[in-house]
Amino acid sequence: EGRESSVHLALFPDVADIVPGRVAGLEEDWAHLLRIRELLNIELEALRASKSIGKGLDAAVTLIVTEGSDENIILRRYEDALPEFLNVSQVTVSTVPAQSVAATKDSAAVLIKAEVAAGAKCERCWRVVPDVGSDSRWPSVCARCSEALDAINFPPTQEAV
C-alpha cells in the first residue's frame, strides 16, 4: 500500500531522507574514499604488471595515515567496509603520529602499500584470508562466510568435529 508495484517503477530516495546528518559530509567522505581507491588502483596495476597478483582480491593493502588527519577519521569510520569498497582481500589502516610526518602541504596524504595477501582463498567470497577453514562445517570458506551460511541454515559440507 502506498508503494510502486515494482521496484523498477520506483524513484530513488532523496539522499537527505536516508542519510543522518549533513549530506555534504557524506559527499566529502566519498571524495576522499574515491581518491584513495584511485591511488590504490595504481599500486595494484604495478603488482599485476609484475605478475605478483592477477586480480585485486589477491592483494592485501595497508593504508598509512597521519593521526588526526581527515583521511584517518574517514578510513576509521568505514574500516569494516574497505575491503569490499577497494575490491581487495585485506585492508589494514595504520596511523602514524603527526609529529613523525614532515610538516608539508601533503602531510595528511595516505601512503598506500599493496602486497600479495596471506592466507587461503575462500571458495564462497574469493577473498584471500587467514581464517579459511576455521569452521569445520564448511572447511573451504572463511569465518565471515561461515556465519552467513549458518544464518541461512545452509547444510554443512562436513560434520562438525
Side-chain angles (χ1 to χ4, degrees), residues 1-5 10:
E1 190 68 30
R3 296 169 79 182
E4 299 294 337
S5 60

Side-chain angles (χ1 to χ4, degrees), residues 8-150:
H8 301 289
L9 298 174
L11 297 175
F12 283 103
D14 186 84
V15 175
D17 293 337
I18 59 174
V19 174
R22 269 183 48 232
V23 171
L26 180 65
E27 291 170 345
E28 290 168 10
D29 287 358
W30 273 95
H32 283 276
L33 291 168
L34 289 170
R35 179 68 183 141
I36 290 167
R37 187 169 71 173
E38 198 176 292
L39 294 170
L40 171 62
N41 284 336
I42 294 167
E43 296 295 318
L44 293 177
E45 281 305 316
L47 286 176
R48 283 186 192 100
S50 70
K51 306 280 190 225
S52 297
I53 65 168
K55 57 188 172 305
L57 287 174
D58 294 336
V61 175
T62 302
L63 303 172
I64 303 167
V65 291
T66 306
E67 182 177 43
S69 67
D70 289 344
E71 288 82 1
N72 184 33
I73 294 165
I74 291 166
L75 290 171
R76 295 294 180 185
R77 183 178 303 142
Y78 300 103
E79 194 165 5
D80 291 341
L82 289 174
E84 284 77 24
F85 175 71
L86 298 173
N87 196 32
V88 295
S89 285
Q90 303 165 30
V91 176
T92 303
V93 179
S94 180
T95 306
V96 294
Q99 62 267 24
S100 69
V101 178
T104 67
K105 184 178 85 145
D106 296 327
S107 63
V110 177
L111 178 63
I112 299 170
K113 180 180 163 192
E115 59 193 0
V116 177
K121 181 179 175 181
C122 173
E123 287 185 1
R124 183 171 181 266
C125 68
W126 296 9
R127 295 179 313 141
V128 177
V129 290
D131 63 3
V132 169
S134 60
D135 189 328
S136 62
R137 296 174 297 169
W138 299 286
S140 62
V141 301
C142 65
R144 183 183 75 159
C145 287
S146 293
E147 289 177 17
L149 293 171
D150 191 43

